[in-house]
Amino acid sequence: MKSKFIALITDFGTNDSFVSSMKGVIYSRYPSASVIDITHQIQAQNIKMGAFYIMVTMQYMPKNTLFIAVIDPDVGTGRGILWAKTRDYQFICPDNGLISWISEKEEILESRFINNSDLFLPKISPTFHGRDIMAPAAAEIAKGLKETKIGPIFNEYRKFPFPHPVRSGNNITGEALSVDNYGNVITNITREYVNVKSIFTVGGKIIKGLKLTYASVNDKEPLCLIGSFGFLEFSIRNGNFAQIYNVKPGDKIEAIVSLDE
Amino acid sequence: MKSKFIALITDFGTNDSFVSSMKGVIYSRYPSASVIDITHQIQAQNIKMGAFYIMVTMQYMPKNTLFIAVIDPDVGTGRGILWAKTRDYQFICPDNGLISWISEKEEILESRFINNSDLFLPKISPTFHGRDIMAPAAAEIAKGLKETKIGPIFNEYRKFPFPHPVRSGNNITGEALSVDNYGNVITNITREYVNVKSIFTVGGKIIKGLKLTYASVNDKEPLCLIGSFGFLEFSIRNGNFAQIYNVKPGDKIEAIVSLDE
Amino acid sequence: MKSKFIALITDFGTNDSFVSSMKGVIYSRYPSASVIDITHQIQAQNIKMGAFYIMVTMQYMPKNTLFIAVIDPDVGTGRGILWAKTRDYQFICPDNGLISWISEKEEILESRFINNSDLFLPKISPTFHGRDIMAPAAAEIAKGLKETKIGPIFNEYRKFPFPHPVRSGNNITGEALSVDNYGNVITNITREYVNVKSIFTVGGKIIKGLKLTYASVNDKEPLCLIGSFGFLEFSIRNGNFAQIYNVKPGDKIEAIVSLDE
């Protein structure tokens, strides 16, 4: 699918030249491309964190944007490399579950195994398929390569289910999905599950009610709101919730939905 | 004002996807734009540090560049969002003082309240106006939107004065404005206030004379020079001045100007 | 040499506006340029680390890319500023050895002293030639300035030799060149020097045999492989080799090549 925009998400950090080498390969083949860095600070080899950031950013990217996601602990082994497309976006990544949560936003319409070695660099390092396979393949695909030339249809890609919250009467059980740079804890609970008078328990702390924004409470006070990713978040105004209450991704969140709203 | 270039300055860091979501929104509306990252490492919610970096970088950006500055502790409250222009540049930011020091470089010629919701994303998060209001409005303005369509003229924006040094006889009293990545202390004192034989006091340390460059002193020696921002700076050659002498923004700087130059 | 692409490598970090000011200057003069950030996290004033990253990334950049390398401890002193070209690339940097290892990849065909002050910013800070001399000169050169207008031919630039490994019978002595973000130790030893049954000694640790990829050993086990830069690397699967075995650039590496392969 033709696209000017290629979005990169990796766990490479920016201290080395891993990211820039990938960009060099892309621009060498497709000089008028425009690369958007989603983030390169995914925790090393944390595939779920990668899947999360793909899910929450895709809708903000230009239509047709091709994501390349390189969180790839099994690089150089037999694991395959995928290209997949939804109505509005497309994705290249190792077959390790990175595209698992895309379908929370848009259905995957087609997926292929990237095996056309004409697309790759002539020499492939067993430890850096991002640069030697994914980047050059992405450049060709984004330039408009016929999709049948990518490789065969492959629908048995790895996928881990999105952990939807569980409702039992007026109790909701969810979990922490991610912690952002400010220490805000992002959960898997969306607005539909709760109401403004709900009572939340996380990390041993009880928080009453849903607020609108950080400034709805006093300085250093904890609060709960629907954050900019569309999920329930726990924050401390001008403070670090995750650190103070020691909350990590995977930790349990409970909500009691009020009956008198 | 039409501009290919949009410059971003935020306190978001680059660990999350806040910056990339803003870029996605800009490029979705304005695919031929080019985004320049000023820095995303402004200390969280430090509006003065944001104002400082806008002031010292604007003159180096292409003419007409539209800055978007998002250091926004009061996001989601009643604070407004501004567009302002000078002769050569334009700015979008919350009405919290971020544009205060622009006029040290160029006079603000026009300022408007951004209230045309046709410019915004359809769904606005109360905690991320950078993505949902400022980025899409910036894209439309930089593409050439008629300026009257931005919103009404608004001249009562918040502004804190630039802390000019005070001269009393041959004594100059100034302050530390910022500390850079190397530990150099940037002050509010410009070349006109001092001469090469001045004697400086900062953090309990006395430094004699103005040097030309770092290599003008021996390794690990402190020095004072006019830095690349155009302000007096205190440095240690191959060392960290701010750390060793414990100097922070706001700290007092004194200079005695020599009479026999 | 005309080029759309300008690649930046510096020790500036991204906390301040040093990098963005350089980009602003480039885009002001050459709006259709495209800047690639190689990395800005070179250790402060570590010229060899800069030389290393130029050497290992150049081949992945678009043909004709103009590198600007600013690791410049002697800024403002008499040291000159160079432009050099190879068959496929070109380089601007202080004359301090930064281009030393380019010739491991491609021969330097021409080098000039940049002294045409028409190319510079009108006002030059003695502490930031990257912004005031190198960036504007790069923009003009990449736009297609006649090369004789850059300045005079200058072939006596500073150069430190690449530390090739030493072979003595079946013993190879090399050294650690760099440590990446994951703690992998990159050496100066290439594939030709060793075989898969070689025995390696580094930081007091003995490692037997060359593996193909990280997943060739168990979790937390050390290994040796040919890394993506084309050099022998020491790694720990999902661990930090440099930290655990306390290896730093310059440390000695020994290999005994097996005779029965």
Side-chain angles (χ1 to χ4, degrees):
Chain A
M1 195 154 60
K2 218 171 140 36
S3 169
K4 176 179 176 172
F5 294 98
I6 294 176
L8 298 185
I9 176 165
T10 76
D11 62 354
F12 294 156
T14 53
N15 288 348
D16 306 296
S17 58
F18 300 120
V19 172
S20 46
S21 295
M22 286 185 64
K23 289 182 185 173
V25 170
I26 291 167
Y27 288 128
S28 293
R29 277 156 186 68
Y30 187 13
S32 60
S34 184
V35 176
I36 300 174
D37 297 293
I38 299 295
T39 177
H40 300 292
Q41 307 294 345
I42 297 295
Q43 193 186 36
Q45 310 180 341
N46 189 332
I47 294 167
K48 285 198 177 175
M49 192 175 163
F52 174 78
Y53 278 109
I54 295 172
M55 174 181 70
V56 296
T57 57
M58 53 188 273
Q59 65 186 306
Y60 295 104
M61 295 301 130
K63 292 273 182 288
N64 297 344
T65 292
L66 171 52
F67 282 74
I68 309 178
V70 195
I71 296 111
D72 196 6
D74 294 322
V75 61
T77 65
R79 69 94 190 83
I81 296 177
L82 302 173
W83 169 83
K85 76 169 176 187
T86 62
R87 193 192 59 196
D88 293 328
Y89 300 102
Q90 45 186 339
F91 306 87
I92 287 177
C93 62
D95 178 18
N96 61 15
L98 272 167
I99 54 169
S100 291
W101 298 346
I102 290 170
S103 52
E104 295 294 309
K105 299 288 175 177
E106 288 189 7
E107 199 190 335
I108 293 181
L109 301 177
E110 190 177 317
S111 53
R112 292 178 181 271
F113 201 88
I114 302 184
N115 73 352
N116 176 356
S117 62
D118 291 352
L119 306 175
F120 308 163
L121 291 201
K123 206 181 146 196
I124 296 172
S125 162
T127 60
F128 197 3
H129 289 183
R131 180 191 66 195
D132 299 342
I133 296 181
M134 294 183 238
E140 298 302 334
I141 293 167
K143 269 165 70 182
L145 183 79
K146 212 162 168 277
E147 287 165 13
T148 53
K149 296 224 170 132
I150 296 170
I153 294 281
F154 177 76
N155 292 318
E156 294 74 37
Y157 48 83
R158 285 185 211 179
K159 205 180 150 166
F160 36 82
F162 184 80
H164 289 285
V166 174
R167 193 194 305 263
S168 163
N170 64 336
N171 290 280
I172 308 294
T173 305
E175 65 177 78
L177 282 186
S178 185
V179 171
D180 77 13
N181 199 35
Y182 300 93
N184 301 319
V185 173
I186 297 125
T187 75
N188 63 340
I189 300 171
T190 49
R191 183 67 182 82
E192 307 83 76
Y193 283 89
V194 293
N195 58 15
V196 295
K197 286 187 178 165
S198 299
I199 297 170
F200 304 96
T201 312
V202 52
K205 175 75 189 169
I206 292 171
I207 296 174
K208 292 183 182 174
L210 211 51
K211 295 292 188 294
L212 194 66
T213 190
Y214 307 119
S216 306
V217 300
N218 291 325
D219 204 44
K220 308 299 176 197
E221 253 184 45
L223 75 152
C224 182
L225 50 66
I226 300 297
S228 64
F229 298 123
F231 292 109
L232 199 78
E233 289 185 22
F234 294 94
S235 303
I236 290 176
R237 186 178 182 186
N238 299 327
N240 188 311
F241 191 98
Q243 210 163 68
I244 288 175
Y245 295 107
N246 191 26
V247 183
K248 292 173 305 300
D251 284 3
K252 198 167 140 183
I253 312 285
E254 295 196 277
I256 301 169
V257 179
S258 172
L259 297 176
D260 65 322
E261 192 185 23
Chain B
M1 195 154 59
K2 217 170 140 37
S3 169
K4 175 178 177 172
F5 294 98
I6 293 176
L8 299 185
I9 176 165
T10 77
D11 62 354
F12 294 155
T14 53
N15 288 347
D16 305 296
S17 59
F18 301 120
V19 172
S20 46
S21 295
M22 286 185 64
K23 289 182 184 174
V25 170
I26 291 168
Y27 288 128
S28 293
R29 276 156 187 68
Y30 187 12
S32 60
S34 184
V35 175
I36 300 174
D37 297 293
I38 299 295
T39 177
H40 301 292
Q41 307 294 345
I42 297 295
Q43 193 186 36
Q45 310 179 341
N46 189 332
I47 294 167
K48 284 198 177 175
M49 192 176 163
F52 174 78
Y53 278 109
I54 295 172
M55 173 181 70
V56 295
T57 57
M58 53 187 274
Q59 65 185 304
Y60 296 103
M61 295 301 130
K63 292 273 182 290
N64 297 344
T65 292
L66 171 52
F67 282 74
I68 310 178
V70 195
I71 296 111
D72 196 6
D74 294 322
V75 62
T77 65
R79 69 95 190 82
I81 296 177
L82 302 174
W83 169 84
K85 76 169 176 188
T86 62
R87 193 193 58 196
D88 294 327
Y89 299 102
Q90 45 186 339
F91 306 87
I92 287 177
C93 61
D95 178 18
N96 61 14
L98 271 168
I99 54 169
S100 290
W101 297 346
I102 290 171
S103 52
E104 295 294 308
K105 299 287 174 177
E106 289 189 6
E107 199 190 336
I108 292 180
L109 301 177
E110 191 178 316
S111 53
R112 292 178 181 271
F113 202 87
I114 302 183
N115 74 352
N116 176 356
S117 62
D118 291 352
L119 306 176
F120 308 163
L121 292 202
K123 206 181 145 196
I124 296 172
S125 162
T127 60
F128 197 3
H129 289 183
R131 180 191 66 196
D132 300 342
I133 296 181
M134 294 183 238
E140 298 302 334
I141 292 167
K143 270 164 69 182
L145 184 79
K146 211 161 169 275
E147 288 165 12
T148 52
K149 296 223 170 132
I150 296 170
I153 294 280
F154 178 76
N155 292 318
E156 293 75 36
Y157 48 84
R158 286 187 209 177
K159 205 180 150 166
F160 36 83
F162 184 80
H164 288 286
V166 174
R167 194 194 304 264
S168 163
N170 63 336
N171 290 281
I172 307 295
T173 306
E175 65 177 78
L177 282 186
S178 185
V179 171
D180 76 14
N181 199 34
Y182 301 92
N184 300 319
V185 172
I186 297 126
T187 75
N188 63 340
I189 300 171
T190 49
R191 183 67 182 83
E192 307 83 77
Y193 283 89
V194 293
N195 58 16
V196 295
K197 286 187 177 165
S198 300
I199 296 170
F200 304 96
T201 312
V202 52
K205 175 75 190 169
I206 293 171
I207 296 174
K208 292 183 182 174
L210 211 51
K211 295 292 188 295
L212 194 67
T213 189
Y214 307 119
S216 307
V217 300
N218 291 325
D219 204 45
K220 308 299 176 196
E221 254 185 45
L223 75 153
C224 182
L225 50 67
I226 300 298
S228 64
F229 298 124
F231 292 109
L232 199 78
E233 289 184 22
F234 294 95
S235 303
I236 290 176
R237 185 178 181 186
N238 299 327
N240 188 311
F241 191 98
Q243 211 162 67
I244 288 175
Y245 295 106
N246 191 25
V247 183
K248 292 174 304 300
D251 284 4
K252 198 166 139 183
I253 312 284
E254 294 195 279
I256 302 169
V257 179
S258 172
L259 297 175
D260 65 323
E261 191 184 25
Chain C
M1 195 154 59
K2 217 170 140 36
S3 168
K4 176 179 177 173
F5 294 98
I6 294 175
L8 299 186
I9 176 165
T10 77
D11 62 353
F12 294 155
T14 53
N15 288 347
D16 305 297
S17 59
F18 300 120
V19 172
S20 46
S21 295
M22 286 185 64
K23 289 182 185 173
V25 170
I26 291 168
Y27 289 127
S28 293
R29 276 155 187 69
Y30 187 13
S32 60
S34 184
V35 176
I36 300 174
D37 297 293
I38 299 295
T39 177
H40 300 292
Q41 306 294 345
I42 297 296
Q43 193 186 36
Q45 310 179 342
N46 189 332
I47 294 168
K48 285 198 177 175
M49 192 175 162
F52 174 78
Y53 278 109
I54 295 172
M55 173 181 70
V56 296
T57 57
M58 53 188 273
Q59 64 185 305
Y60 296 103
M61 295 302 130
K63 292 273 181 289
N64 297 344
T65 292
L66 171 52
F67 282 74
I68 310 178
V70 195
I71 296 111
D72 196 6
D74 294 323
V75 62
T77 65
R79 69 96 190 81
I81 296 177
L82 302 173
W83 169 84
K85 76 169 176 187
T86 63
R87 194 192 58 196
D88 294 327
Y89 300 102
Q90 45 186 339
F91 306 88
I92 287 177
C93 62
D95 179 18
N96 61 14
L98 271 167
I99 54 169
S100 290
W101 297 346
I102 290 171
S103 52
E104 295 294 309
K105 299 287 175 178
E106 288 189 6
E107 199 190 336
I108 293 181
L109 301 177
E110 191 177 317
S111 53
R112 292 178 181 272
F113 202 87
I114 302 183
N115 73 352
N116 176 357
S117 62
D118 291 353
L119 307 176
F120 308 163
L121 291 201
K123 206 182 146 196
I124 297 172
S125 162
T127 61
F128 197 3
H129 289 182
R131 180 191 66 196
D132 300 342
I133 296 180
M134 294 183 238
E140 298 302 334
I141 293 168
K143 269 164 70 182
L145 184 79
K146 211 161 168 276
E147 288 165 14
T148 52
K149 296 223 170 132
I150 296 170
I153 293 281
F154 178 75
N155 292 318
E156 294 74 37
Y157 48 84
R158 286 186 210 179
K159 204 180 149 166
F160 36 82
F162 184 80
H164 288 286
V166 174
R167 193 194 305 263
S168 163
N170 63 335
N171 290 280
I172 308 294
T173 305
E175 65 177 79
L177 282 186
S178 185
V179 171
D180 76 13
N181 199 34
Y182 301 92
N184 300 319
V185 173
I186 297 126
T187 76
N188 63 340
I189 300 171
T190 49
R191 184 66 182 83
E192 307 83 77
Y193 283 89
V194 294
N195 58 16
V196 295
K197 286 187 178 165
S198 299
I199 297 170
F200 304 96
T201 312
V202 52
K205 175 75 189 169
I206 293 171
I207 295 175
K208 292 183 182 173
L210 211 51
K211 295 292 188 294
L212 194 66
T213 190
Y214 307 119
S216 307
V217 299
N218 291 325
D219 204 45
K220 308 300 176 196
E221 254 184 47
L223 75 152
C224 182
L225 50 67
I226 300 297
S228 64
F229 298 124
F231 293 109
L232 199 78
E233 289 184 22
F234 294 94
S235 303
I236 290 176
R237 186 178 181 186
N238 299 327
N240 188 311
F241 191 98
Q243 211 163 68
I244 288 175
Y245 295 107
N246 191 25
V247 183
K248 292 174 304 300
D251 284 4
K252 198 167 138 184
I253 312 285
E254 294 195 278
I256 301 169
V257 179
S258 172
L259 297 176
D260 65 322
E261 192 184 24

